Amino acid sequence: MDMLATAPFPREIRLENTNACNARCVICPREKQTRSIGVIAPELVEQIVDEAKSRTITKFTVQGFGEPLLDKNFCGHLRHIKRELGCPTFSVSNGSLITPELAEELVACGLDKIKISFYGIDKKEYESVHRGLTYERTVEGVTNLIRAKRAARSKMVIRLQYIGRLWRFLPFVLQWAGKAAVGYSTLHNYGGGRRYQKLRRQGGKCPIVSEPILQVLWDGRVAACCYDFDGLMILGDLRHQTIAGIWHGEAYRRLRRAQATGDFAEWPLCRNCDRRLRPLIKLNPRVIGDSAPAPEPTQPLAVFPVHEFGDRCPAGAACSKPVGCR
């Protein structure tokens, strides 16, 4: 059945504010990303929020295939979204950029929940996976946020999402017990970007496409889902179309039809996606040490075509155009 019959407008909006990242985690296929790196324009955020104001939005996520806190306008976007829509807000971060000052902003800006991805219970394990980051700095960032939340008596949920080996989850829980919420996640294949989970030969409908979720890339293009990290399956462009126009458009209809018929000839990422062909048992493989080769990024960490990060530029002191950052 066409989802338009029950969902005339997306109920959840996932907005990628940047696809830049200050890390090169081996579990994330950043070396396979070929699309341009940039930051969403505030005008585009306002456009999306304006169209959504008359609708019922149950969740608004600000994060995509990148580190959202690199965007100096992150808190401004959250304030605008919360003020205009009043819906629950969510983001995912690696936590390494959270200074005491930024922590206070995050607590006050209208962010309801933040999930911080964490692989490892010690420096060696963490830094072998989250390459480019340091264990001490990330722990400090998380601690800054916890302190700011307590000082403000905020109800914001801070969730540390452990994505390591299952048998090491209990020590991780004990490390953070009483400080923050803790969860466990298995690794996924990113639509073919990685091969952590074995696929079943037959599967059901995609739980992402089957739900009324809109995935917007930083440049305004609408992708099929968050696993499409390189923007290969584009359904529309909000620089030239409305949300409703894309949601009711022919491309979305074809994608929904493929989910119903199982014919994914037009949708290569869906064809072998572990969210649709879910394995019966999902376990995290070992990805540290020799089993985690360092990926070669297609775009060097120190060079970005769009310099809009200000003092949060992921290149840091190595930035080739520090004066050009705004």
Side-chain angles (χ1 to χ4, degrees), residues 75-86:
C75 289
H77 297 327
L78 265 296
R79 281 191 291 269
H80 182 66
I81 292 165
K82 199 67 174 179
R83 181 175 61 250
E84 298 297 326
L85 302 182

Side-chain angles (χ1 to χ4, degrees), residues 262-315:
D263 181 4
F264 296 100
E266 186 183 354
W267 313 99
L269 299 185
C270 299
R271 196 178 307 145
N272 297 304
C273 181
D274 61 311
R275 287 304 300 270
R276 188 178 65 84
L277 303 171
R278 297 181 68 86
L280 295 178
I281 299 177
K282 294 185 69 176
L283 296 175
N284 280 341
R286 185 174 186 271
V287 297
I288 63 175
D290 295 337
S291 64
E296 293 296 329
T298 56
Q299 292 163 313
L301 190 61
V303 179
F304 283 85
V306 180
H307 287 267
E308 299 179 348
F309 305 104
D311 58 3
R312 298 179 198 166
C313 179

Side-chain angles (χ1 to χ4, degrees), residues 2 8 12 14 18 33 47 50 62 73 87 106 112 134 148 183 224-225 245 250-251 268 282 316 320:
D2 194 327
E12 179 180 346
R14 297 179 179 177
T18 183
Q33 179 181 231
Q47 172 192 324
D50 284 346
V62 180
N73 293 317
C87 62
L106 291 172
D112 292 311
T134 64
C225 78
E250 178 57 28
K282 294 185 69 176
S320 60

Side-chain angles (χ1 to χ4, degrees), residues 20-307:
C21 194
N22 61 331
R24 288 289 180 261
C25 304
V26 298
I27 56 180
C28 191
R30 295 202 64 82
E31 80 284 359
K32 297 182 179 180
Q33 179 181 231
T34 61
R35 60 189 172 106
S36 297
I37 294 177
V39 181
I40 196 167
E43 297 79 15
L44 182 56
V45 178
E46 293 173 3
Q47 172 192 324
I48 293 169
V49 171
D50 284 346
E51 187 177 354
K53 277 197 293 189
S54 61
R55 309 285 186 160
T56 299
I57 306 299
T58 59
K59 184 178 180 182
F60 203 118
T61 298
V62 180
Q63 181 265 339
F65 193 64
E67 171 49 50
L69 300 184
L70 284 171
D71 178 10
K72 64 175 184 173
N73 293 317
F74 176 84
C75 289
H77 297 327
L78 265 296
R79 281 191 291 269
H80 182 66
I81 292 165
K82 199 67 174 179
R83 181 175 61 250
E84 298 297 326
L85 302 182
C87 62
T89 55
F90 175 68
S91 190
V92 182
S93 171
N94 61 41
S96 66
L97 298 171
I98 305 177
T99 62
E101 295 77 18
L102 179 56
E104 292 179 1
E105 287 189 65
L106 291 172
V107 169
C109 73
L111 180 61
D112 292 311
K113 181 176 180 179
I114 183 168
K115 182 171 72 175
I116 298 176
S117 301
F118 223 103
Y119 191 114
I121 61 173
D122 54 37
K123 180 179 178 67
K124 180 180 179 180
E125 186 180 18
Y126 178 87
E127 293 182 7
S128 72
V129 175
H130 296 283
R131 294 179 178 173
L133 305 181
T134 64
Y135 179 77
E136 295 85 359
R137 180 66 193 89
T138 300
V139 170
E140 180 185 356
V142 175
T143 303
N144 288 336
L145 188 58
I146 293 172
R147 287 172 177 166
K149 173 189 173 179
R150 289 176 175 174
R153 296 184 178 181
S154 169
K155 295 182 180 180
M156 181 178 72
V157 176
I158 303 170
R159 183 181 180 90
L160 302 184
Q161 199 74 5
Y162 184 72
I163 47 178
R165 306 303 297 277
L166 181 59
W167 65 274
R168 294 173 73 85
F169 179 52
L170 180 57
F172 184 81
V173 172
L174 296 177
Q175 283 181 339
W176 295 99
K179 301 175 184 177
V182 177
Y184 179 82
S185 288
T186 52
L187 296 168
H188 57 77
N189 293 352
Y190 260 115
R194 289 289 184 266
R195 294 184 178 181
Y196 290 125
Q197 303 297 338
K198 293 183 179 180
L199 306 178
R200 289 188 293 172
R201 296 197 175 189
Q202 294 182 340
K205 292 183 179 180
C206 171
I208 297 177
V209 176
S210 298
E211 295 296 324
I213 301 172
L214 186 79
Q215 180 72 43
V216 185
L217 304 181
W218 73 267
D219 58 5
R221 294 180 299 156
V222 173
C225 78
C226 56
Y227 284 7
D228 187 5
F229 62 88
D230 210 22
L232 299 179
M233 301 192 305
I234 299 301
L235 305 174
D237 192 333
L238 289 172
R239 291 170 295 187
H240 314 293
Q241 299 170 271
T242 64
I243 295 175
I246 295 172
W247 191 251
H248 292 261
E250 178 57 28
Y252 244 122
R253 289 180 181 274
R254 293 199 309 273
L255 178 59
R256 296 184 183 105
R257 194 175 304 124
Q259 294 293 327
T261 64
D263 181 4
F264 296 100
E266 186 183 354
W267 313 99
L269 299 185
C270 299
R271 196 178 307 145
N272 297 304
C273 181
D274 61 311
R275 287 304 300 270
R276 188 178 65 84
L277 303 171
R278 297 181 68 86
L280 295 178
I281 299 177
K282 294 185 69 176
L283 296 175
N284 280 341
R286 185 174 186 271
V287 297
I288 63 175
D290 295 337
S291 64
E296 293 296 329
T298 56
Q299 292 163 313
L301 190 61
V303 179
F304 283 85
V306 180
H307 287 267

